[in-house]
Amino acid sequence: MSREITVTIEQEKYTTTITDNIHTLIADEPAEVGGQDKGFAPTQLLLSSLGSCKVITVRMYADQKKWELDKVIVRLSSEVKRSVQQQTTYIKCHISFEGNLDDDQKKRLAIIADRCPVHKILSNPIVIDSNML
């Protein structure tokens, strides 16, 4: 079971502290939009979650298969397109593998990367229930 995440913002404009009571992370906005650029922007954190999940899932699979995977690199970017009816976010994931792997193994790892838990979350409807405490 995952630990609850707490995000707080105080006096430093957009700088936020993210914690699960064990780990702490700083998020911020770039200086050009009024932040202090002390950490990743929220959209970068979202992409980081997806990329981290993909490489960890691939590593676990390769380890189970005892494949010689030395390194996995995922480069991510996003673009938002708006129309009158909806907003669509396009996330591009470019994945590469290093190691003693044949083409079939690389193709299989690419499929496995798309089966990571965060990819599944983002690919399905999400309901966010916000309320005041």
Side-chain angles (χ1 to χ4, degrees), residues 46-70:
L46 179 69
L47 293 178
S48 299
S49 293
L50 177 59
S52 298
C53 191
K54 284 180 178 288
V55 299
I56 290 169
T57 300
V58 165
R59 168 58 68 198
M60 287 177 172
Y61 186 85
D63 288 351
Q64 287 175 351
K65 294 290 188 179
K66 298 186 177 9
W67 290 353
E68 295 179 43
L69 175 64
D70 297 330

Side-chain angles (χ1 to χ4, degrees), residues 88-106:
T88 303
T89 302
Y90 294 89
I91 297 175
K92 292 184 181 177
C93 297
H94 301 285
I95 190 165
S96 61
F97 308 103
E98 294 179 12
N100 187 17
L101 301 165
D102 61 34
D103 286 342
D104 287 339
Q105 288 172 316
K106 289 178 184 179

Side-chain angles (χ1 to χ4, degrees), residues 1-2 27 67 82 84 97 106 111 114-115 120 122:
M1 184 174 184
S2 65
W67 290 353
R82 292 175 179 84
V84 175
F97 308 103
K106 289 178 184 179
I111 291 167
D114 284 350
R115 293 185 179 165
K120 288 178 183 179
L122 295 174

